[in-house]
Amino acid sequence: MDWVVSQSERSLSLEKYEVHRTKGGTLRYTSSRNLQVLERRNEPFGVASGQLFGPLADPDNLSGQKDAEGLGDLALKSEGSFSVAILHDEKITLVTDAGGSIPVFYGRGPEGFAVGTLVHHVATLSGLDDIDKVSVADYLLNGTICYPYSWYERVQEAQAGSVISFDHEGIAEHHTYWQPTEPDNVREDCNSEKWGKHLNEQIKEAVRLGVEGKSKGRVLYSGGVDSRAVLSLVPSSFECIPTTVTDFKNQEYRVAKRSARLLGRELDRIRRPEDHYRSSIRELIDTIGPGWDFTHAHISRQVGDQFKDADVILGGYLADTFFKTLWMPDVRSGRFRPDRLLPALPNTVTGIDLDKMSDLSLWSNLIGRVLERRKDHHERLKKLRPKTAGSWHQKFPLSNQPHFAHYLAPLRVGPSMIEPFAFSGTYRLAAKMPDTARVDMRAFRHAFASEMGLAGWWPTSSGEICTLEDKYFGHMAQAISHRWLRFRRNLNPFPVEGAWSPDAAGWSPVHPERHFSDSECQALERHLDDLFAGGIGADVFENEDVSDEMKVRALTLAFDTPG
């Protein structure tokens, strides 16, 4: 799904790119089911990355279209998770979807202008390959880089919901066709059943678009309520295999197997290699780009290879983010009572770990600049969502999600990747939905409980029962279910495993020399000396005050050095 357009004479020695030269620059793109080459008279004039449906996907609508507002209207009438680049003789026009689900980066440097989906390729072709220390500190601390910055100085991320034209001087035109403006009734009581109906229709249509014209699919199936919801909407006539990835056949696997059967499907299990999160780190960072937490790239390498027999992969990513209270700081969860909305917290800057910032010996001015960037982003968001900015700080754009690599990695596997909850229309629906519809999954239950049938009554591995209404009885029943499962686990002599291996959250000890050459390890140490006070770069991997997650992320600093 990757592409890059540049006016640079530099070359990229990467076999995966096909190269096409035009008057406006050099287009490099991958051959993939997650990338569509737009052609006019058998000549490429643009690319659509991700999955795009509707009028924006029709080359005839784009070949003569140069008006930014017209392109924005086409984007609003289109669906999917996408970015589109259109090459003209004198400029390049970029269209991003509502949530920025396919991050695009751009920069103009000593080697010329470049724009594309892989940040390190944009940096190389533009000559802007100096590391941004503030972004690196942000990434090490928080697992993500705050929008609109990137791993490199002077390389920035394009705005979501926009049409942007670049010429030889820079940005020639910037039209924002959509933003997640807060509705007036965002904190008021609402008809959750009505919102559930809208959600059902939206996700059902996304699934339909995803499987249409395909012969075989797989669902990333954990057995949780999100993957059950997606699988329940796949037409029974379509060959679709729910697929779970585990280290061994544990409770997570048993729940997934039983719930899949209740939905009329047989589960396929892929065994995760023991070294999945510790192998091929250089390749993994290169695949998704530096600045993303590569330990969240769960569907990749040997695991990803086992999905290539499908035409389409479907997942339930971001359902928690948008339609439940997991990412809402203004919700109180009770043990035996339903969740409650608290007074809004518009000034709460989420996505930062202040404890880590206070404990570590990072430069104070570097930490201050990390906070300044996130506060600036928050202030911009407050203009759009004055009451709920705290809940949306990590949701706009989607690249602010610390686990976003979980979505980026499958896009590079090969088959069409369909994440219905990341679709542009789903994102716009989430922005309009009142918070009261998210509490206790009210809208989500109305949307999918009946579709799941008996599978909605079978508890998840955490005790969740999707079909139960959001009443006191339902909440207490789930609490009892959760405690019963925990009691059974305590009697189980085998270790408990969740959706991902413990290595996915970091491991100890971390040995850079096992993954990189001597010169790269020396460069890694120099980078860490620049970031940490007192020249302690050599001691970071032995320092007990530095978390395992941060030590693992720090390996990216070795990848970024010249090989």
Side-chain angles (χ1 to χ4, degrees):
M1 51 78 71
D2 290 309
W3 58 266
V4 60
V5 180
S6 69
Q7 298 165 345
S8 169
E9 295 300 321
R10 280 191 175 185
S11 62
L12 283 174
S13 56
L14 296 173
E15 296 180 357
K16 70 176 184 178
Y17 278 127
E18 296 186 31
V19 180
H20 181 78
R21 303 187 187 281
T22 70
K23 293 181 180 179
T26 301
L27 167 65
R28 296 173 175 86
Y29 60 88
T30 57
S31 296
S32 166
R33 293 179 186 171
N34 289 305
L35 183 135
Q36 176 188 355
V37 180
L38 307 173
E39 294 185 342
R40 178 177 56 237
R41 295 186 293 275
N42 297 323
E43 284 293 314
F45 73 91
V47 287
S49 188
Q51 293 296 323
L52 175 60
F53 308 93
L56 198 65
D58 187 346
D60 292 337
N61 290 336
L62 302 179
S63 59
Q65 177 63 261
K66 296 185 180 181
D67 177 70
E69 292 188 7
L71 287 170
D73 290 340
L74 291 178
L76 283 172
K77 297 174 183 176
S78 300
E79 189 55 280
S81 306
F82 58 84
S83 66
V84 180
I86 307 168
L87 278 67
H88 310 281
D89 288 344
E90 300 297 330
K91 67 178 182 179
I92 300 165
T93 299
L94 173 68
V95 185
T96 56
D97 67 12
S101 67
I102 306 291
V104 179
F105 301 90
Y106 64 92
R108 181 176 299 280
E111 299 294 331
F113 174 76
V115 56
T117 54
L118 280 173
V119 64
H120 52 312
H121 294 176
V122 172
T124 298
L125 290 170
S126 62
L128 300 173
D129 47 9
D130 290 333
I131 292 177
D132 183 344
K133 294 179 182 178
V134 182
S135 292
V136 171
D138 195 2
Y139 168 71
L140 294 180
L141 285 161
N142 303 310
T144 185
I145 294 172
C146 186
Y147 169 84
Y149 303 95
S150 81
W151 189 259
Y152 301 94
E153 292 181 357
R154 298 170 57 201
V155 175
Q156 291 198 328
E157 183 179 345
Q159 182 176 319
S162 295
V163 179
I164 310 171
S165 291
F166 304 93
D167 61 17
H168 293 287
E169 302 299 323
I171 295 180
E173 186 177 12
H174 190 154
H175 168 63
T176 301
Y177 68 83
W178 186 87
Q179 289 183 304
T181 306
E182 183 178 83
D184 293 335
N185 65 340
V186 68
R187 304 286 291 182
E188 297 176 4
D189 289 336
C190 68
N191 185 337
S192 297
E193 187 173 357
K194 181 194 75 171
W195 285 104
K197 180 180 179 182
H198 292 326
L199 179 58
N200 176 280
E201 293 170 349
Q202 170 63 32
I203 303 303
K204 183 177 290 185
E205 176 65 5
V207 171
R208 185 192 70 80
L209 290 170
V211 304
E212 191 173 44
K214 309 294 195 308
S215 60
K216 180 181 179 180
R218 286 184 180 269
V219 173
L220 301 177
Y221 195 79
S222 66
V225 294
D226 305 335
S227 56
R228 293 187 202 185
V230 172
L231 185 60
S232 71
L233 298 179
V234 177
S236 58
S237 59
F238 180 71
E239 182 185 357
C240 191
I241 304 171
T243 307
T244 189
V245 182
T246 62
D247 292 332
F248 53 91
K249 294 183 178 181
N250 61 347
Q251 175 67 14
E252 187 93 10
Y253 162 77
R254 290 190 287 272
V255 168
K257 184 175 182 179
R258 177 60 63 90
S259 61
R261 283 183 173 175
L262 291 173
L263 289 168
R265 311 275 182 169
E266 284 298 321
L267 183 73
D268 184 24
R269 172 182 173 256
I270 294 175
R271 183 171 182 176
R272 183 185 293 113
E274 292 183 5
D275 63 346
H276 178 71
Y277 293 104
R278 306 193 195 199
S279 64
S280 306
I281 288 177
R282 166 180 281 280
E283 174 192 348
L284 196 53
I285 299 171
D286 179 49
T287 298
I288 62 176
W292 307 107
D293 192 340
F294 60 89
T295 63
H296 286 288
H298 309 295
I299 310 301
S300 59
R301 302 194 301 284
Q302 303 102 308
V303 171
D305 288 343
Q306 297 185 65
F307 285 85
K308 289 183 178 179
D309 65 339
D311 299 312
V312 60
I313 304 173
L314 298 104
Y317 180 59
L318 295 179
D320 282 338
T321 304
F322 291 134
F323 300 104
K324 303 174 191 175
T325 59
L326 180 64
W327 294 83
M328 294 174 61
D330 46 9
V331 171
R332 175 175 293 173
S333 298
R335 180 174 295 181
F336 293 106
R337 60 181 298 173
D339 295 346
R340 289 180 295 161
L341 269 179
L342 302 175
L345 300 172
N347 297 315
T348 299
V349 181
T350 54
I352 58 176
D353 194 326
L354 292 175
D355 291 335
K356 289 181 182 178
M357 290 184 177
S358 62
D359 291 343
L360 292 171
S361 303
L362 285 170
W363 283 345
S364 58
N365 66 329
L366 205 57
I367 292 298
R369 291 169 65 188
V370 169
L371 288 171
E372 181 181 346
R373 285 185 178 183
R374 290 193 171 266
K375 288 179 179 178
D376 286 347
H377 172 67
H378 199 79
E379 289 302 314
R380 290 193 297 269
L381 195 54
K382 281 178 65 177
K383 295 178 181 178
L384 301 174
R385 306 191 70 88
K387 296 178 183 177
T388 58
S391 297
W392 277 77
H393 184 89
Q394 291 180 283
K395 299 177 184 178
F396 184 69
L398 293 180
S399 57
N400 277 342
Q401 292 284 302
H403 44 68
F404 200 58
H406 174 50
Y407 172 61
L408 291 177
L411 284 170
R412 273 90 178 188
V413 167
S416 298
M417 184 67 205
I418 299 293
E419 287 286 7
F421 292 97
F423 267 36
S424 193
T426 312
Y427 191 87
R428 298 199 302 271
L429 175 65
K432 293 188 295 184
M433 180 180 286
D435 283 349
T436 48
R438 304 179 221 275
V439 175
D440 277 318
M441 299 167 49
R442 291 171 188 168
F444 190 93
R445 295 177 196 276
H446 285 299
F448 304 114
S450 62
E451 303 277 3
M452 291 186 202
L454 291 176
W457 287 97
W458 193 262
T460 67
S461 58
S462 62
E464 185 74 57
I465 303 175
C466 183
T467 300
L468 287 174
E469 293 293 332
D470 50 320
K471 306 293 184 183
Y472 282 91
F473 170 75
H475 193 85
M476 290 185 67
Q478 288 188 164
I480 294 170
S481 171
H482 175 75
R483 281 157 180 75
W484 168 245
L485 284 172
R486 188 167 62 182
F487 173 74
R488 286 184 59 188
R489 284 175 177 171
N490 290 336
L491 297 178
N492 192 335
F494 300 101
V496 175
E497 180 205 0
W500 316 116
S501 167
D503 276 356
W507 59 82
S508 182
V510 176
H511 298 290
E513 64 275 8
R514 294 181 180 176
H515 310 286
F516 299 95
S517 67
D518 290 342
S519 61
E520 289 168 335
C521 289
Q522 291 170 8
L524 168 60
E525 185 177 322
R526 290 196 300 272
H527 283 308
L528 291 175
D529 279 340
D530 287 341
L531 291 169
F532 287 82
I536 63 168
D539 303 322
V540 165
F541 295 102
E542 286 74 38
N543 192 320
E544 293 183 357
D545 291 332
V546 179
S547 69
D548 291 341
E549 293 92 333
M550 187 181 297
K551 292 173 184 176
V552 172
R553 291 175 195 147
L555 293 173
T556 308
L557 286 161
F559 161 84
D560 195 69
T561 59

